[in-house]
Amino acid sequence: MTQPPPTPPEYPEPTPRPDQPGAAQVPPAYPAPQQRPPAQPYVPQQQPPAAQPYVVPQQQPPAPSYVPQQAPQYPQYPQQTAPGAAPYVSQQAAPAPPHHPVGPPALQPPHPHASTPPPYPQAAAPPPYPQSAAAPPPYPQAATAPPYPQAATAPPYPQAAAPPPYPQAATALPYPQGAAAPPPYPQAVAPPPPGSPLHPHHISTERGRVHIAGQQRHTDATAFGNLLLHLPNFLCSLVVVTLVSLLFGGFGVVLILAWLVSGALVFHRPTESALARHLLRLRYPTPQERANLEPVWREVTARAGVEGRNYELWVEDSDSLNAVAAAGHIVGVTSFAMNNLPNGELAAVMAHELGHHVGGHAWSGLLGYWYALPGRIAWRLLRAVTGFLFRVSRAFSCLGVAFFGLCVGGIAFATISTLYGLPLLLLGMPYALAAVGRRSELRADQHAAALGFAPMLAAVLEKLHQQEQVRIATLTAANRGAPVTETAASRLLSSHPDHHTRLHHLQPYLQPTR
């Protein structure tokens, strides 16, 4: 039997295994904790890999003391065994690679002169590293670095004690009754009915002593202008009356004088009543309507210093917002205005009509219309006869039409030359009278505003504007959607100014005084 060499080679002593005696006193030199990479900051987006059994890092340099390729004096080392000992053969765990001899104790081969170590495969293997009590727990579950979403120091914002929603906040009191939720706007600020004393345009009609001005009426510039513009119509009517009086012979002069004096009938109370009833379609108010109108009328006349008993109140059965001042003593309002307007707005309407009476617009307009009536009647008869003759002349083709044109042209030229061209003024009179009528409406608005009814009058004008818009919409619908445009001639012939013009002239009375 071959004897071992007298001096054994220098070989690193194996670390005692856990199953050998003395393993508890000397802990194994385990390089893993010293070579473990330092912990990195926690990154929630990248989960660290699960803990794996320890593997010797590949970057560990080989031990300088063991180089099998450079030690020729140990060629038979694997075959030499201790006397009486069976050679060691491992069937489960292969020895460490030649280039990486340094590793865990379980992977190092036993020393050749060790005293019959127990077979390595049957030894109790150490517990896995992750389950070892001495080893640190896996990094993701470490108590020092819990996951961010579940950390107690950073709770989710929606579940935190955030401020409650704004409408239910206790610091914001509900508006306006203190309920949990404010009521709808129309019910919260619904205006009171027109007859309620709480309406902003309601006025008090309880007045004691009333001051009556010495001058009840006057004639302003618009009244004079209206009379002057009716002068051509008056002259044409005088010509017509004179031609008609020739048919009565000696009684013709009496007919002319009777017509001239008839103008005074516009101030006659029975005649005014007949005109109001038959021409203007007015009626006397009922006792209930009179009880509603007279207090308002007394307030208006008291502010103006006018004797209210000099005028008569009439009512027109109409669904439109309107009023009228006729003759010398008639003030009429529609049933719609009387029943649907607050007493302040109704007073503004009556003050406007009183302005027409005080300024002389009512009687001057009616007087001019009365004296122009014979000329208007004659003009309508002439148009009817001329139209009939034109249709007859068309039956004789172009020759008859030419003859008719020559006859009518000759008569017109003779009339104009005889009256020194005065009939030509009749062509422009409607436009001039409409302009004067618009001016008189602005004067009446000024009179009502001066009495303190400017805000109420502005509200009435706004309602009139809405009524006009409804009328235009109805005409548009009847015209199959085609818009109804107002021509320049129709605007010039309008007797009332437009809505914006009237509001513009009320601005000085609507601005607060300092």
Side-chain angles (χ1 to χ4, degrees):
M1 180 180 294
T2 304
Q3 298 296 329
T7 303
E10 295 180 1
Y11 190 81
E13 292 296 332
T15 304
R17 293 177 300 186
D19 56 347
Q20 294 179 354
Q25 289 77 11
V26 180
Y30 199 86
Q34 289 79 7
Q35 297 176 4
R36 184 177 180 179
Q40 299 296 329
Y42 172 72
V43 181
Q45 292 80 4
Q46 299 181 1
Q47 295 293 336
Q52 301 294 334
Y54 180 79
V55 179
V56 178
Q58 300 296 328
Q59 65 271 14
Q60 178 68 27
S65 61
Y66 175 71
V67 181
Q69 293 80 359
Q70 297 179 4
Q73 62 273 16
Y74 304 113
Q76 291 82 18
Y77 171 71
Q79 290 79 15
Q80 296 178 1
T81 58
Y88 172 76
V89 178
S90 176
Q91 298 178 359
Q92 292 183 1
H99 297 284
H100 303 280
V102 179
L107 300 180
Q108 294 181 1
H111 194 272
H113 300 282
S115 59
T116 64
Y120 176 77
Q122 289 75 18
Y129 172 75
Q131 291 76 14
S132 175
Y139 178 74
Q141 291 76 18
T144 57
Y148 175 74
Q150 291 78 16
T153 56
Y157 177 75
Q159 290 77 16
Y166 175 74
Q168 291 78 15
T171 56
L173 294 179
Y175 176 87
Q177 287 86 6
Y185 175 77
Q187 290 78 7
V189 294
S196 174
L198 301 178
H199 197 280
H201 291 166
H202 181 82
I203 60 174
S204 176
T205 57
E206 298 178 0
R207 183 177 293 271
R209 299 180 59 184
V210 177
H211 172 72
I212 303 299
Q215 183 180 2
Q216 295 289 299
R217 298 189 181 191
H218 64 277
T219 304
D220 57 15
T222 56
F224 277 115
N226 196 9
L227 293 175
L228 290 177
L229 290 176
H230 275 97
L231 183 60
N233 296 331
F234 169 76
L235 294 178
C236 290
S237 298
L238 181 59
V239 171
V240 172
V241 172
T242 303
L243 293 177
V244 173
S245 63
L246 295 176
L247 301 177
F248 296 94
F251 295 97
V253 178
V254 177
L255 180 62
I256 296 175
L257 294 177
W259 175 72
L260 293 176
V261 177
S262 63
L265 294 176
V266 296
F267 302 100
H268 186 238
R269 292 298 181 91
T271 306
E272 288 182 357
S273 300
L275 292 175
R277 185 178 293 106
H278 299 288
L279 294 181
L280 302 178
R281 304 298 180 183
L282 301 179
R283 62 172 177 81
Y284 284 111
T286 63
Q288 180 64 31
E289 293 172 344
R290 186 175 296 277
N292 296 333
L293 292 176
E294 286 185 351
V296 180
W297 179 247
R298 284 197 302 267
E299 176 65 21
V300 172
T301 54
R303 294 190 184 188
V306 175
E307 180 59 51
R309 292 175 294 181
N310 292 335
Y311 301 91
E312 295 183 0
L313 299 177
W314 292 69
V315 177
E316 177 185 0
D317 293 324
S318 175
D319 294 334
S320 62
L321 177 58
N322 198 6
V324 62
H329 308 91
I330 294 177
V331 175
V333 296
T334 60
S335 57
F336 178 87
M338 179 181 58
N339 298 325
N340 295 275
L341 292 182
N343 63 348
E345 296 180 7
L346 182 60
V349 173
M350 290 184 169
H352 174 87
E353 303 304 331
L354 180 62
H356 284 307
H357 281 296
V358 171
H361 311 153
W363 67 264
S364 64
L366 182 59
L367 190 63
Y369 177 83
W370 176 261
Y371 282 116
L373 190 58
R376 293 175 183 271
I377 295 175
W379 173 250
R380 291 181 181 179
L381 290 176
L382 183 61
R383 287 180 57 184
V385 173
T386 304
F388 175 76
L389 294 178
F390 179 75
R391 287 192 294 269
V392 172
S393 63
R394 291 180 59 183
F396 298 94
S397 68
C398 297
L399 182 61
V401 174
F403 178 77
F404 175 77
L406 290 176
C407 295
V408 173
I411 296 173
F413 178 77
T415 304
I416 293 173
S417 59
T418 303
L419 299 177
Y420 302 99
L422 187 61
L424 295 178
L425 297 177
L426 299 176
L427 301 178
M429 285 299 103
Y431 301 97
L433 290 174
V436 173
R438 291 192 293 270
R439 185 61 183 175
S440 64
E441 294 295 332
L442 295 178
R443 287 292 184 90
D445 289 346
Q446 182 180 1
H447 178 267
L451 298 180
F453 300 110
M456 296 78 164
L457 184 60
V460 173
L461 293 179
E462 183 64 28
K463 294 178 180 179
L464 286 173
H465 180 65
Q466 295 177 1
Q467 188 180 36
E468 182 66 18
Q469 294 298 320
V470 171
R471 186 187 67 85
I472 293 176
T474 304
L475 293 178
T476 302
N479 201 19
R480 297 181 179 179
V484 179
T485 57
E486 187 179 8
T487 62
S490 61
R491 288 194 297 268
L492 293 176
L493 290 174
S494 177
S495 60
H496 287 69
D498 59 278
H499 171 69
H500 302 287
T501 302
R502 299 181 74 172
L503 286 181
H504 173 73
H505 284 80
L506 284 179
Q507 289 303 316
Y509 300 93
L510 295 175
Q511 296 176 358
T513 58
R514 297 182 180 179

